[in-house]
Each structure stands twice: as C-alpha cells, then as structure tokens.
Amino acid sequence: MITMDTQLDLVEWYFEQGWTDGLPVVPPTTATVAAMVEALGGDAHRLETRVPPRWGNLTREVLAINLVLAGCTPAYAPVVRAAILALCGAHFNLNGIQATTHMAAPLLIVNGPIRREIGMNAGANVFGSGNRANATIGRALRLIMLNVGGGWPGDLDKSTLGHPGKYTFCIAEHEEASPWAPYHVEQGYRPDDSTVFCIATEGPHSVTNHVANDPQGVLDSLVSCMSTIAHNNAVSSGSCAVVIGPEHAATIAGAGWTRGDVRRYLWSHTTNTFDDISFHGRYGKIYNRNLPKWYRREPGARIPIVPSPDDIHLFVAGGEAGRFSAFLPGWGHMTSPVLRAIDGQAPQHDVRCTDGTCEL
Amino acid sequence: MSTHSTLPSGQTVFDPRGTVTAETVALAPRLATLRGMRVAILDNSKWNGSNLLRRVATRLEAEAAPAAITHYTKDSFSRAALDPLLDQIAAENDAVVTAIGD
C-alpha cells in the first residue's frame, strides 16, 4: 500500500514536464479524462484536428487531458472543441498567429443559450477574472496551443511582447443587455443556436465617454481610439472587434441606430490618412502592399481601418453600469475570423431581415 | 503512443502533447553553380524582406551570371504560398531565393 508521503505532488510534476502555461494545472485522473472523453462524444482515439505550428495530433483523448488540466468541467467540452476546430481551419491561420512577433491572441466570443447553461460571464468585468467557465475555456485553448501546437514562448511563439489574453481570452456576448439581435443571429443563426466566434486580436483598449447622450458622441470616442497608426489594422488591414458596453448600447439604440449603422459609422469616420501611415515621407516613398490595392496612396487619402464595415465585428458585453466600450485591433489581413456553431451546423441565412432583429 | 503512464509512486500521469505525424522529404539536389541558371526571387511582401531581396538580386546579377532572375510575390507574408505559385516557380526556374524580414 502506498502511503500519502510517498506520493509525488503532481502539480509540481506537471510543472517539471513543462506542460503548463505557468500556472498550476489540475492533475488528470483516469476517471476525469474518461468523463471528458465521454462529454466529447466518446471514441478517445478519434483525431479532431492537427494544431499548428507543431502540427500535433489532437485526438479526443488529448483534448480531454488538456480540458482537465485547465480546470474545465465536462459541460464546457463542446465549447472548447468547437473553438479549437474554428482555430485550426485554414482561414484562421493559427500557424501564423502562434508564430508571429505581433502580440495577437485568439479571442473567443460565445453566443446562444449555452452561455447560460454553463454559467458564462457576459456582464461586469467580462474580460477579467472571476468566472470558471470563461477562465478555463480560454485556458484550455491556450494549453492546447502550447502543448499540442507547440507555441512555447521563444520557441515556436516569437511574440515580442504577448499580452495577458495569452493565458485566457474568452467572453460571452451579453445578449440579455443588448438592444440588438445577438451577433450570431445577425450572421444568420437562430437565437437558440449556440456559436463560437474566434478572432485574433490585441488586448482591449478602453473607450470612455461619460458625456455623450447621442450615438455620434459615443461613437466618436470609439473612432478616436481606432484612428491610430500604431495598431496592426493600420498597417495590415484585416478585421477588428468592438465591444459596446450596455449603457453605450442603450444610448446608441435609443436614437434608433442599428448594429449595422454603428459599424458603418465607425468605418466611415476613422481618420487615418496615407500621410499618417507613410510617416509623411520621412523614410522615403512607402507604398505598403499589405493594404488593399484599391486604397489611394496619395497625400490626404483616407486609409480605412479595415476594408469594409463588415470587417468590424461588433458585440455587446460588460456590466450594466458604466459608460465604457472597448476596441480590440486585429492581427491583420493574414487571418480571417471564424464563426462556427457548437454543433457544427451551417447558419439558416433567412433573409427575412438584414440584422436578425425579426428573429427575436 | 500511450497518453498515460505510471510513476514509480504508482500515480498515473497524462501526456497532453499529442503525437506528431511527419514524413521525411528529401531536399532537391543542390546546384554546383548559379551560372546560366534561372533564379526565382520569391518576395514574401514584407517591407524589409523586399529590401533584402532587391539587394540579393543585384548581387546575383553582378556576381553569379545567372541566365535570368524572375521576381514572384506571395499573396500574404504570413500564409503559405499557394500551390499554383509554387508549381509556376518550380516550372520556370532552377533555383529560388526567398527571405523574411519584418
């Protein structure tokens, strides 16, 4: 019989193997791994995907092990599975995101009834700590990117700075506090479908406006935040995310503006010019082939942050008190965001309305 | 490969890394000289990578006497070059030079 004092501290053992994100993991047991495989649909050796840049084989058993290590319950397993399948599709280019010197990390945003069923936080401190589902779902994705994808800092992950979302980066849309149809409904899914949305972004930048009582005032603060030459969208285009706080959303929607109106206003009024992004010629003639070909490269020409309003992915989340929103610049044209149903089904794409509101 | 093993203490531990399935691909035979060869310059579209390749092309032209230097550009510096482009480069050249530079 083995007594307790001969047992190793398995938390320390996993640290010694280098199989953690730097925080203690939950040591798996045969029973907890089996329960997680069961939650994934059984068939432990079934290959779900390969995770770049190491291209490790993610079987259901390996996925289950990482879920347990992260502290997930079996109820979270379908969300993590859907998210890692979204991340590993060719469009997302996880290979580049893992390896880039930029700080981008995949952000996961969950929509639909599963948010409530597994107790996700879409409200106060939504990007912060304090909720097991948000924290461990995001952490499981990161552990898979590390352990299976090999994205170890300085090795296959060459990020100069990284950002705190490379521990965990997972939120839910606050559909109940939103005046608009949820993101996934706008994109053609039913309100009772549950989806994951993945986009590679920098960390959230706060947008404060405690004064404006109209859409333009609130959105001009967002425009100011977006109009900088420092983020990757300015030099590499692509897509970005905007998270509107519930108070700001109420102000905007109270004046009759739709989600689409917000995206189009933001797209139309960002103020970067070709002079700004070419440093006013200080370093010679710069053309920048990483921006869309149809942008004018001449003095005074406006350089949109992203090619179209549809490349601004808009969500409502956060606490119901506080006049704040957030802008999350994307990685650039090198990645395409992915929206995927948790059960893998395609959207219905009903054309009864353009923004999904008639589905509610 | 088993994902779990037993420590001397009797405790079961699990390997979260997954296996890697790889095949060995041999490199193409190396050229003894670039003289008279068709050389491709594959630009990954990054600013400093392009600068580096322009200088390399100038040096090759002056010092290696290739038959031709042809320039190609990837659609995205971060995505893999598409197969048709790789096939075209392979069909039209004897050697290819590429670079990455942020």
Side-chain angles (χ1 to χ4, degrees):
Chain A
M1 179 181 169
I2 296 164
T3 57
M4 287 304 289
D5 58 3
T6 64
Q7 302 256 302
L8 291 177
D9 180 341
L10 290 182
V11 171
E12 292 299 327
W13 188 86
Y14 282 99
F15 272 125
E16 286 164 15
Q17 310 313 306
W19 296 341
T20 94
D21 50 9
L23 294 168
V25 293
V26 176
T29 65
T30 303
T32 55
V33 171
M36 206 61 88
V37 167
E38 191 62 31
L40 291 164
D43 196 2
H45 299 296
R46 178 168 163 173
L47 181 67
E48 289 283 8
T49 187
R50 297 169 70 213
V51 187
R54 176 173 169 264
W55 299 104
N57 293 318
L58 186 75
T59 61
R60 285 191 176 162
E61 186 177 32
V62 171
L63 174 54
I65 292 166
N66 283 281
L67 283 159
V68 175
L69 289 168
C72 292
T73 73
Y76 308 164
V79 179
V80 177
R81 177 180 174 273
I84 196 68
L85 292 178
L87 294 186
C88 292
H91 289 298
F92 194 73
N93 190 13
L94 183 62
N95 191 48
I97 292 160
Q98 288 256 68
T100 180
T101 46
H102 186 236
M103 63 166 55
L107 165 65
L108 170 62
I109 305 180
V110 181
N111 271 104
I114 202 163
R115 297 165 309 123
R116 289 286 171 220
E117 291 161 17
I118 64 173
M120 292 190 74
N121 177 31
N125 201 37
V126 67
F127 281 106
S129 51
N131 178 278
R132 181 177 180 180
N134 295 31
T136 64
I137 289 170
R139 187 188 189 199
L141 287 175
R142 176 52 54 184
L143 285 175
I144 293 165
M145 286 187 268
L146 290 167
N147 288 326
V148 190
W152 296 103
D155 184 9
L156 296 180
D157 181 345
K158 300 295 188 190
S159 181
T160 308
L161 295 166
H163 75 67
K166 293 182 90 163
Y167 283 97
T168 181
F169 206 20
C170 169
I171 68 170
E173 184 165 38
H174 201 335
E175 297 176 14
E176 296 75 9
S178 173
W180 300 304
Y183 178 88
H184 70 309
V185 176
E186 184 193 39
Q187 302 295 321
Y189 286 96
R190 304 271 187 208
D192 56 359
D193 291 333
S194 291
T195 58
V196 291
F197 173 76
C198 298
I199 182 170
T201 73
E202 302 175 13
H205 190 304
S206 175
V207 175
T208 306
N209 188 318
H210 287 77
V211 177
N213 60 3
D214 62 355
Q216 282 158 273
V218 170
L219 296 179
D220 283 347
S221 287
L222 260 163
V223 161
S224 170
C225 185
M226 298 167 83
S227 301
T228 156
I229 63 167
H231 54 59
N232 252 36
N233 289 130
V235 295
S236 299
S237 195
S239 55
C240 61
V242 167
V243 175
I244 309 272
E247 279 206 53
H248 277 171
T251 299
I252 296 164
W257 288 38
T258 67
R259 237 181 218 271
D261 292 334
V262 173
R263 287 202 311 265
R264 287 186 280 272
Y265 186 92
L266 295 175
W267 186 84
S268 297
H269 295 292
T270 54
T271 59
N272 279 3
T273 65
F274 187 69
D275 313 71
D276 297 327
I277 65 159
S278 60
F279 304 97
H280 298 269
R282 184 183 175 95
Y283 306 104
K285 193 164 186 276
I286 292 174
Y287 177 75
N288 194 334
R289 292 172 296 164
N290 296 309
L291 293 173
K293 290 182 171 59
W294 53 270
Y295 286 7
R296 283 184 171 175
R297 280 127 168 116
E298 61 189 32
R302 193 177 75 88
I303 298 294
I305 297 301
V306 290
S308 85
D310 289 343
D311 298 311
I312 299 172
H313 296 274
L314 187 75
F315 293 83
V316 174
E320 293 181 27
R323 300 184 63 80
F324 296 95
S325 294
F327 171 53
L328 295 91
W331 182 41
H333 71 278
M334 307 79 77
T335 178
S336 304
V338 178
L339 175 66
R340 188 182 195 284
I342 301 231
D343 63 9
Q345 294 298 308
Q348 299 297 315
H349 280 308
D350 258 343
V351 290
R352 290 191 293 158
C353 53
T354 56
D355 63 359
T357 48
C358 60
E359 293 291 343
L360 300 182
Chain B
M1 188 195 83
S2 176
T3 54
H4 60 276
S5 55
T6 306
L7 299 177
S9 62
Q11 292 160 293
T12 303
V13 289
F14 294 82
D15 187 334
R17 296 173 298 174
T19 56
V20 175
T21 311
E23 57 179 300
T24 303
V25 178
L27 287 172
R30 304 293 88 182
L31 298 176
T33 177
L34 290 177
R35 179 173 296 276
M37 298 294 171
R38 301 164 300 165
V39 178
I41 300 286
L42 176 58
D43 175 1
N44 78 348
S45 78
K46 276 205 171 186
W47 176 252
N48 288 316
S50 302
N51 283 342
L52 177 60
L53 286 171
R54 273 200 296 273
R55 293 188 188 198
V56 167
T58 303
R59 291 276 298 271
L60 285 175
E61 192 80 60
E63 299 172 23
I69 292 181
T70 312
H71 293 262
Y72 304 84
T73 304
K74 273 173 61 174
D75 286 340
S76 166
F77 52 76
S78 179
R79 295 187 193 268
L82 299 176
D83 285 343
L85 177 61
L86 295 177
D87 292 343
Q88 184 190 357
I89 292 171
E92 297 174 354
N93 299 279
D94 303 300
V96 59
V97 180
T98 191
I100 186 167
D102 260 325

